[in-house]
Amino acid sequence: MSQGQTVVVTGASAGVGRAVVREFARRGARIGLLARGQAGLDAAVREAEEAGGRALALPTDVADPAQVEAAADAVEAEFGPIDVWVNCAFAGVFAPFTEVRPEEYKRVTEVTYLGFVNGTRAALSRMMPRDAGTIVQAGSALGERSIPLQSAYCGAKHAILGFTSSVRTELMHEKSNVRITVVQLPAVNTPQFSWVLSRLPRRPQPVAPIYQPEVAARGIVHAADHPGRRQYCVGGSTLATVLANRFIPGLLDRYLARTGYDSQQTDEESRPPSPDNLWKPVDSADGRDHGAHGSFDDASHARSVQLWATEHARPLAAAAAAGALAATGLAWRTRNTRSF
């Protein structure tokens, strides 16, 4: 459990990372907050402390390994050894691959993939000597099943899976007690759709069904508490996507080629170019905290039956076993009664 733990969250100023900070704070954790945007970091610190935790804001570009190492040092100097490290930070571009500039593709990869690599390295260098700690990678259904218009993001999320699997086997070889797991997330209502660099003719949107960031945060915290599984899925749509891609990938290719463009755009035409967060945090330009939620509250789910089942897997399994045992006993009694 996270009470009294020291936790690091990257991408902590907004979206899923911001919701993860609140979830850990409610349980009394000490949290290092890594992100670029100062306004979002300051607001996240206030929320964490109001929720019962302690927080330290550390302006950090996760694409820079030196900055990540310095932030990790600062967290341990302030709060003590890091128990849990959650990698959430990411960037993206909404556009066909041929319209994404090389420097933009590189930047998305450096933040979304190498940011996780840098965070994992910083965590492991501190956890492995103590033989204790947990790393949680905030993955995506798009790390299993790519879609059009997000090739840089999808490629980075696929890379995270491969990288994490390799690290996991190395830890197993060393018989280490450090754990690393991935949480595959569904479409989430975060501010990214308002500030992502987009070259689409219409305003970008998440592909339904959409979940609130608090749902994703609960899944991540649950994984941090139970890191023995290689991977978790949050949301029935994520699980369905993973399974469908394993059994009918060609059919999904054709389906997404037909529907993937429209499903990622609203009916609203794109506005004139506005600040995006690829190179600089948006709150540096407008001085405003953008919070955890995006602009799709009315279309987003605040709960997930699939996540609830995951969180209650043991009691559900026990109830199922008891039910099966009772049914077997009833069948036995019925058969024996009829034999007389």
Side-chain angles (χ1 to χ4, degrees):
M1 302 296 283
S2 63
Q3 186 171 4
Q5 287 183 324
T6 296
V7 180
V8 172
V9 180
T10 73
S13 63
V16 171
R18 179 74 167 266
V20 169
V21 169
R22 288 200 297 255
E23 194 73 16
F24 275 114
R26 290 189 188 99
R27 300 160 65 171
R30 304 177 296 269
I31 314 164
L33 281 57
L34 279 59
R36 294 174 301 161
Q38 191 65 57
L41 282 172
D42 291 343
V45 167
R46 289 193 297 271
E47 286 183 353
E49 292 178 346
E50 289 170 0
R54 295 175 60 196
L56 177 66
L58 296 160
T60 306
D61 185 342
V62 296
D64 183 343
Q67 290 189 39
V68 177
E69 287 290 338
D73 284 341
V75 171
E76 293 209 324
E78 181 74 15
F79 294 142
I82 296 167
D83 299 297
V84 177
W85 187 292
V86 181
N87 285 310
C88 278
F90 74 94
V93 176
F94 277 74
F97 168 68
T98 53
E99 295 180 21
V100 183
R101 296 166 189 151
E103 62 273 18
E104 295 166 349
Y105 217 98
K106 180 182 178 183
R107 176 62 178 168
V108 171
T109 304
E110 287 175 341
V111 174
T112 308
Y113 172 50
L114 292 181
F116 278 52
V117 172
N118 295 334
T120 301
R121 182 186 293 110
L124 287 178
S125 68
R126 291 157 176 82
M127 293 175 177
M128 289 185 72
R130 303 193 307 269
D131 197 29
T134 296
I135 300 167
V136 182
Q137 317 282 42
S140 168
L142 304 190
E144 294 270 2
R145 170 67 250 183
S146 295
I147 61 176
L149 304 177
Q150 295 195 60
S151 61
Y153 178 82
C154 291
K157 288 297 185 181
H158 274 74
I160 288 166
L161 281 184
F163 159 72
T164 302
S165 293
S166 182
V167 171
R168 182 184 297 109
T169 58
E170 292 172 6
L171 291 170
M172 293 170 68
H173 174 79
E174 296 293 332
K175 295 181 171 54
S176 173
N177 286 313
V178 177
R179 298 289 181 261
I180 186 167
T181 188
V182 178
V183 181
Q184 303 289 56
L185 300 178
V188 183
N189 174 35
T190 70
Q192 72 146 324
F193 299 95
S194 298
W195 66 32
V196 68
L197 174 58
S198 173
R199 296 196 173 95
L200 303 181
R202 289 172 281 139
R203 181 185 168 205
Q205 68 175 1
V207 179
I210 310 167
Y211 292 86
Q212 295 290 22
E214 288 76 16
V215 176
R218 290 196 297 273
I220 288 170
V221 173
H222 177 79
D225 289 342
H226 306 86
R229 285 174 55 173
R230 300 178 72 254
Q231 178 172 299
Y232 286 88
C233 289
V234 173
S237 58
T238 303
L239 183 59
T241 298
V242 170
L243 293 175
N245 191 57
R246 290 177 184 173
F247 292 106
I248 51 169
L251 182 60
L252 283 182
D253 283 347
R254 293 189 290 275
Y255 174 76
L256 289 166
R258 188 174 68 252
T259 67
Y261 278 60
D262 284 342
S263 65
Q264 294 185 80
Q265 300 178 74
T266 69
D267 294 331
E268 181 183 343
E269 290 187 4
S270 291
R271 300 168 184 171
S274 57
D276 64 74
N277 76 332
L278 185 60
W279 302 104
K280 294 181 179 179
V282 171
D283 64 5
S284 295
D286 62 17
R288 186 164 59 89
D289 168 40
H290 292 263
H293 287 221
S295 57
F296 299 95
D297 279 334
D298 292 344
S300 299
H301 301 283
R303 293 176 179 80
S304 163
V305 173
Q306 180 274 335
L307 175 59
W308 180 88
T310 298
E311 292 172 327
H312 298 83
R314 288 185 178 179
L316 285 173
L325 185 61
T328 301
L330 178 61
W332 183 86
R333 287 194 300 272
T334 301
R335 185 173 61 250
N336 283 319
T337 299
R338 289 174 179 172
S339 65
F340 285 104

